[in-house]
Amino acid sequence: MEIFAQATSEIVRNYAVIAGGCFGLYLAWLRVTAANRQADSQLKHAELARRIHVSEVFNRTVGQLKDRKLEIRLGAILTMAQICKDYPDLSEPIIRLLTTHLMQNRLKYGDGEPPADVQAIMDILRDFKK
Amino acid sequence: MNHHFPDDQYRNAINLSGTFIRRTNLNGVNLQGADLSQADCTNASFRGANFRDANLAGTILRGADLTDAVGLTREQLKSAILDKDTLLPSYLQ
């Protein structure tokens, strides 16, 4: 009789251990899921912040395309090239903007070599319109 | 009904119409469906560029290097302005 009671007690204890383990696993899963959700949300926020920053940089560089100084214009175009590399989905609108800039500001430089900014635009076309 | 408009396929084609791009390097560029009409491309380099369906009406290609360019047709070249220094792809010589 005593042996039976002992065996029953052992079985109950084992079930309790298994149930406790399962509950622990469930809690761990909940915690991991919550942590993943939080990480995803942080990533999305970081990406959004980066996009906003790129938009600001883009707006600033557009204003610099007509600057009097060649180095300012060149810097703006090189920044746009970097945006094209980092955000390939923005390369089409940037190319459209730069080609429109070429059409609107028909800088005639005679028979000499093209200015660095004009060639930099061509480099972007070569890199992103293969 | 899904209509297909020919222009749609070149929605993102390059538009360099009327630009002044002498001596620039556009080697290997995809100019498929591009508009280069009235552009001044004197002495520009277009080695290996793709000109399929590009608009070359009035495009100045004097001294331009079109070696290995693809998709060029005689009709396109007839509408452009060439000279004896223009280097043509072998299939158009």
Side-chain angles (χ1 to χ4, degrees), chain A residues 92 95-96 99-100 102-103 106-114 118-119 122-123 125-126 129-130, chain B residues 12-30 38-40 42-43:
Chain A
E92 284 300 336
I95 286 171
R96 208 175 312 146
T99 51
T100 303
L102 280 180
M103 287 192 284
R106 216 165 172 259
L107 175 67
K108 292 194 175 181
Y109 46 85
D111 283 325
E113 289 298 314
V118 173
Q119 190 51 60
M122 298 301 137
D123 292 344
L125 294 184
R126 278 212 320 275
K129 284 283 189 184
K130 288 177 187 167
Chain B
N12 290 325
I14 295 173
N15 187 355
L16 287 168
S17 168
T19 53
F20 189 92
I21 51 173
R22 287 185 183 181
R23 286 189 189 276
T24 52
N25 178 352
L26 281 164
N27 293 341
V29 171
N30 182 6
Q38 311 299 327
D40 188 341
T42 303
N43 292 316

Side-chain angles (χ1 to χ4, degrees), chain A residues 79-127:
Chain A
T79 303
M80 287 188 185
Q82 193 56 49
I83 294 174
C84 286
K85 273 181 198 147
D86 293 342
Y87 294 92
D89 58 312
L90 293 178
S91 64
E92 284 300 336
I94 286 177
I95 286 171
R96 208 175 312 146
L97 175 86
L98 291 174
T99 51
T100 303
H101 166 68
L102 280 180
M103 287 192 284
Q104 296 299 313
N105 303 284
R106 216 165 172 259
L107 175 67
K108 292 194 175 181
Y109 46 85
D111 283 325
E113 289 298 314
D117 56 338
V118 173
Q119 190 51 60
I121 293 174
M122 298 301 137
D123 292 344
I124 292 178
L125 294 184
R126 278 212 320 275
D127 289 344

Side-chain angles (χ1 to χ4, degrees), chain A residues 10-25:
Chain A
E10 188 80 3
I11 289 168
V12 169
R13 198 172 61 88
N14 285 344
Y15 273 119
V17 167
I18 290 168
C22 286
F23 186 65
L25 279 175

